[in-house]
Amino acid sequence: MFERFGRLLHRRRKPLLILTLLFAVLSGAYGVGVFGSLTPLGFDDPGSDSRHAAQLAEKAFPQRTPDAVIVYRDEDRTVDDPSFRQAVVRQVESLPRSEVTGYSHFWTSKMPAQVSHDRHATYVALNLHGSSEKAKEESYKAIKDKLAAPGLETLQGGTVPTGFQAGEKIEHDLRAAEIFSAPVLFLFLLVVFGGLTAAFLPLLVGVLSIVGSMAVLRVISNITDVSVFAMSLVTILGLAVAIDYGLLIVSRYREELERGHTGEEALARTIATAGRTVVVSGTTVATALAGLTLFPSTFLKSMSYGGVAAVVLSVLFSLIALPATLAVMGPKVNAFSLLRRKATRPTATGEGAWYRFAHGLMRRPVLVVVGTVGLLLALAMPFSKIEFGSINAQQLPSSSEGRQVFDTMERDFDSDAVKSIDSLLVLKSAATSKEQGAELQAYAERLGATEGATSAGITGAEGTTARVSVTFDGNAVSTHARDLVNRLKDVPEPPGARAYFGGESAVYDDTLDALGETLPWMLLYIAVTTYILLFLAFGSVLLPLKAIAMNLLSLSATFGVLVWIFQDGHLHHLLGFDPTGNIEPNMPIMLFALIFGLSMDYEVFLVSRMREQYDQLNDSTAAVATGLQSIGRLVVSAAVLMCVPLAAIGMSGVLTMKLFGVGMVFAVLVDVLVVRILLGSAVMKLLGRAAWWAPGPLARFYTRYGIKETDVPADTDKPVPVGA
């Protein structure tokens, strides 16, 4: 089937290139507006009790849950100065009521917590019009230039402004990453291919993938919420994966040309071999990322949408646009060559550096396995003490206004004065009635007497909605606070009432509960689908298990290093971030799906070529050595190329993106260099012929339906280029 598809691509090459160009123009014109369609944040569970509590509070008691916090400061005047008061009040009262539904400042609330310790600063809490994060952001954009008070230093922070600033910072950092990555990638490809023309082609696939993915995300954003963080995955993954696949296709096509094939035959053989590998690899990565849609949070769903779009389009352009371009170019793919290498097929005598390296590993397989597994487990050890936290302004660099407001509130204001766990009650009758008042007071006393609570009181009553606020000591995002939330939930409500717990601690608890409930199902889904795909690719019942086990080792090591760096704060001066002492819980899950898929990407690259050699040689040791010799250099090159845009995103000023970039660079390098090449070769030696074994019925199924590396006759009399 793939061979026939390759011949069809050759015959229809010009119309396909015209369609590709048309797609690029249309999707580019439409996708360029994607940033204006994306939603900030999206890390919590939209169906949770804490989200419902927030909606109840916003409707009945909006002054308690501000969307924006605006800090006003004067180094000379205090809030007691009439001119200070006049400047703030006049500015706030001039804001359009179509965008601001409510506000609270010190001169109306009389709350001491709204004045800084030195009395030279105050903050105004604003509630913005809109029923969603995106709608509130639109309201904020309409007033953000109208908030500065004459003569006062003004800083804009809080949930909505911080989310907006994060989006702008992410967009800026992504553009910077693209500008940095493109020339560096081209130089690396130039070294790999030794020619200008061949080096350009994988970059073309990457650009097409990014442009198409942006258009897809914009379409999806018109249907459902899509987090702004999805663009980081689209840009980086689209570029990295497309270049890997383009590298594989172009390398194989040049290999077929050096074998003496030209035109339609060369393209057919390329698609029947490398094309099949790209399909299996892309399907594996997309399948793993699709598992994120099982989670309720907008962030994880969005990363799935963006990731799957980027991978699928990378596969499509690698199998359609790139082969059509190669068909038009033919031998001219080697035009403008700067370096040509002559290579021959590795032989049983040990020809080729990768061949000799593989045999060196397989001479002491037990030592290699023990050493690499010990190293990975040592790196994984910090993962056992991971502490989860929530997304806040600490994700932004210290130069951003949202971060400055956060730091100012922590440093100069009595922030604990407004920290609480809120029980939002839907009552059977009016909250202000005498009967309900007595029941609410009794309920508040029960909450206040709960272990860990310092006090509780009725802080709102409107219609049939009431709020009881519980104060406590300690961090709002901590195991202590989470335990308190769960104890409060066990307290009996007033008769006929339904309680929904809100506040930062309740959101944190609901987020971890939602992730914990869904995670086992995602793991099961990924394990089963990956096993089936790898069996169809390798025809073995043991190799998929080996691949999954090695993936878990690689992931554990990566998570351990991330905890050591970002939670414990090591290397923070070198990497340029302020440690928060915790990890946002959505990030490890997103990284798990992405790293798992990409690890299988390289597994398919390597083992598919080994399978091809095994089918020819019927010798497992020789198959590992010759397979590694033929594709080892290509796989390492692909890993280094993938790390370029990932390293660029690791330089972002947004902590979440920095963690993503640094974690992915470490994961890719460790997975390829240590897990796939060192550990993988040694394990293959220990398994021997059993590595390729399958029971009779499954072996026959693979023979008939398996996704083999090649379905065209191999040229045993022609040399295979080393490192192709």
Side-chain angles (χ1 to χ4, degrees):
M1 180 183 72
F2 278 78
E3 180 189 0
R4 292 194 299 272
F5 181 62
R7 297 185 188 279
L8 176 65
L9 290 173
H10 188 273
R11 291 194 297 270
R12 300 288 187 266
R13 55 192 181 276
K14 291 183 180 180
L16 287 172
L17 286 179
I18 293 173
L19 289 174
T20 299
L21 180 61
L22 182 62
F23 175 87
V25 172
L26 294 178
S27 59
Y30 180 72
V32 72
V34 65
F35 279 99
S37 304
L38 301 179
T39 300
L41 304 179
F43 288 90
D44 59 342
D45 177 7
S48 64
D49 278 5
S50 56
R51 173 63 71 87
H52 191 66
Q55 292 169 343
L56 288 172
E58 182 172 353
K59 184 177 180 180
F61 320 108
Q63 69 278 8
R64 180 79 178 185
T65 54
D67 299 310
V69 175
I70 315 301
V71 174
Y72 296 98
R73 169 174 284 279
D74 190 289
E75 294 301 326
D76 299 320
R77 294 175 293 175
T78 69
V79 297
D80 304 307
D81 190 308
S83 62
F84 190 119
R85 171 183 177 176
Q86 185 179 30
V88 173
V89 173
R90 180 180 298 171
Q91 198 65 36
V92 172
E93 291 181 347
S94 69
L95 297 174
R97 293 297 174 263
S98 59
E99 312 297 344
V100 178
T101 60
Y103 60 83
S104 171
H105 54 68
F106 167 67
W107 295 279
T108 56
S109 70
K110 306 301 181 183
M111 289 177 55
Q114 284 191 269
V115 177
S116 63
H117 300 144
D118 64 2
R119 302 190 69 79
H120 281 271
T122 185
Y123 73 83
V124 176
L126 300 180
N127 290 97
L128 303 173
H129 178 76
S131 58
S132 66
E133 290 179 342
K134 183 61 183 173
K136 289 179 181 293
E137 185 180 84
E138 292 299 321
S139 296
Y140 169 68
K141 287 192 290 186
I143 65 165
K144 68 184 184 70
D145 295 329
K146 304 174 183 178
L147 293 170
L152 298 177
E153 177 188 356
T154 305
L155 294 174
Q156 303 177 21
T159 304
V160 176
T162 299
F164 173 76
Q165 294 162 21
E168 285 194 319
K169 182 62 177 172
I170 289 171
E171 183 177 3
H172 172 271
D173 290 348
L174 288 177
R175 288 174 179 168
E178 291 169 355
I179 293 171
F180 168 81
S181 299
V184 175
L185 286 169
F186 183 75
L187 290 175
F188 273 128
L189 287 167
L190 198 59
V191 172
V192 172
F193 286 127
L196 292 170
T197 304
F200 171 76
L201 293 176
L203 279 175
L204 174 64
V205 180
V207 171
L208 289 171
S209 174
I210 292 173
V211 169
S213 299
M214 290 171 65
V216 170
L217 273 189
R218 188 173 182 187
V219 171
I220 296 175
S221 69
N222 291 327
I223 302 171
T224 185
D225 288 340
V226 177
S227 172
V228 67
F229 287 95
M231 273 307 303
S232 61
L233 191 60
V234 161
T235 300
I236 301 308
L237 189 63
L239 189 60
V241 172
I243 287 178
D244 273 10
Y245 295 160
L247 181 66
L248 190 65
I249 295 291
V250 174
S251 296
R252 191 68 186 224
Y253 184 73
R254 297 176 83 202
E255 178 182 321
E256 296 300 335
L257 291 179
E258 293 190 24
R259 283 181 168 183
H261 302 295
T262 58
E264 184 176 320
E265 186 66 22
L267 193 65
R269 288 172 175 263
T270 297
I271 299 301
T273 53
R276 284 193 169 200
T277 301
V278 167
V279 169
V280 174
S281 298
T283 303
T284 305
V285 179
T287 298
L289 288 171
L292 295 176
T293 59
L294 298 174
F295 292 92
S297 75
T298 299
F299 171 77
L300 292 178
K301 288 182 182 292
S302 300
M303 300 305 271
S304 178
Y305 303 149
V308 171
V311 171
V312 170
L313 287 175
S314 295
V315 171
L316 288 177
F317 287 126
S318 297
L319 292 181
I320 297 176
L322 181 57
T325 304
L326 292 172
V328 170
M329 298 179 69
K332 292 181 181 179
V333 69
N334 293 315
F336 303 106
S337 293
L338 306 178
L339 175 68
R340 295 306 303 254
R341 296 186 305 273
K342 217 110 164 124
T344 57
R345 179 187 293 271
T347 66
T349 58
E351 185 176 343
W354 283 101
Y355 184 91
R356 293 190 295 272
F357 179 67
H359 271 289
L361 291 174
M362 291 187 287
R363 276 196 292 269
R364 297 176 179 83
V366 175
L367 180 63
V368 173
V369 169
V370 172
T372 52
V373 171
L375 172 64
L376 294 170
L377 290 177
L379 292 173
M381 287 182 64
F383 184 43
S384 63
K385 58 176 185 178
I386 188 170
E387 291 286 340
F388 293 116
S390 61
I391 289 288
N392 55 35
Q394 288 179 293
Q395 298 291 318
L396 294 176
S398 57
S399 58
S400 68
E401 284 192 52
R403 173 64 183 276
Q404 291 176 34
V405 168
F406 179 88
D407 292 341
T408 298
M409 295 293 292
E410 289 289 307
R411 181 186 65 247
D412 299 338
F413 289 82
D414 186 9
S415 59
D416 283 344
V418 294
K419 179 186 72 176
S420 65
I421 299 170
D422 296 331
S423 175
L424 275 296
L425 294 140
V426 179
L427 306 169
K428 62 181 181 180
S429 59
T432 55
S433 67
K434 183 177 180 180
E435 180 185 0
Q436 285 290 5
E439 291 176 348
L440 283 173
Q441 185 59 44
Y443 176 63
E445 291 174 359
R446 293 196 295 272
L447 293 179
T450 303
E451 179 187 353
T454 56
S455 67
I458 303 170
T459 55
E462 183 71 30
T464 58
T465 305
R467 181 184 60 225
V468 178
S469 298
V470 181
T471 61
F472 59 98
D473 293 326
N475 195 330
V477 180
S478 63
T479 302
H480 162 72
R482 189 183 181 203
D483 291 341
L484 175 57
V485 170
N486 286 293
R487 286 194 293 270
L488 294 174
K489 288 180 179 179
D490 292 334
V491 175
E493 300 102 329
R498 171 71 165 90
Y500 299 90
F501 282 85
E504 191 175 7
S505 302
V507 171
Y508 173 66
D509 179 62
D510 285 345
T511 299
L512 290 184
D513 283 345
L515 294 177
E517 291 171 3
T518 309
L519 182 60
W521 294 105
M522 187 197 78
L523 297 178
L524 179 63
Y525 158 79
I526 289 179
V528 171
T529 54
T530 298
Y531 187 93
I532 293 172
L533 285 169
L534 293 187
F535 172 77
L536 292 174
F538 304 150
S540 164
V541 296
L542 294 180
L543 287 182
L545 293 177
K546 180 213 75 165
I548 292 172
M550 292 199 309
N551 267 21
L552 295 178
L553 279 172
S554 179
L555 282 159
S556 298
T558 299
F559 290 156
V561 168
L562 289 179
V563 169
W564 185 77
I565 294 175
F566 289 95
Q567 178 177 301
D568 297 345
H570 298 97
L571 307 182
H572 70 279
H573 291 299
L574 177 65
L575 295 175
F577 72 94
D578 296 324
T580 60
N582 53 55
I583 303 289
E584 203 288 322
N586 286 275
M587 290 301 296
I589 292 175
M590 185 273 288
L591 287 172
F592 179 94
L594 184 56
I595 294 171
F596 195 97
L598 290 177
S599 298
M600 289 305 180
D601 207 30
Y602 297 114
E603 179 80 1
V604 171
F605 281 15
L606 284 165
V607 181
S608 291
R609 188 58 74 97
M610 293 175 185
R611 177 77 218 199
E612 180 184 357
Q613 297 296 317
Y614 181 76
D615 289 341
Q616 294 180 25
L617 304 173
N618 199 32
D619 183 321
S620 182
T621 300
V624 172
T626 55
L628 192 60
Q629 172 63 31
S630 64
I631 203 170
R633 177 178 175 273
L634 179 65
V635 169
V636 172
S637 298
V640 172
L641 287 166
M642 179 171 283
C643 286
V644 171
L646 291 171
I649 210 65
M651 295 186 288
S652 170
V654 179
L655 184 58
T656 302
M657 295 183 67
K658 186 181 292 291
L659 184 148
F660 168 74
V662 172
M664 288 299 301
V665 168
F666 178 85
V668 168
L669 292 179
V670 166
D671 189 77
V672 170
L673 299 178
V674 178
V675 176
R676 303 300 152 190
I677 293 178
L678 296 181
L679 181 59
S681 299
V683 171
M684 293 292 285
K685 174 63 176 178
L686 293 175
L687 291 175
R689 295 177 65 88
W692 311 103
W693 174 82
L698 290 179
R700 289 189 293 273
F701 182 87
Y702 171 74
T703 301
R704 185 169 182 179
Y705 301 108
I707 310 173
K708 305 180 187 65
E709 171 68 6
T710 179
D711 57 4
V712 293
D715 290 333
T716 56
D717 57 337
K718 295 186 182 292
V720 175
V722 175

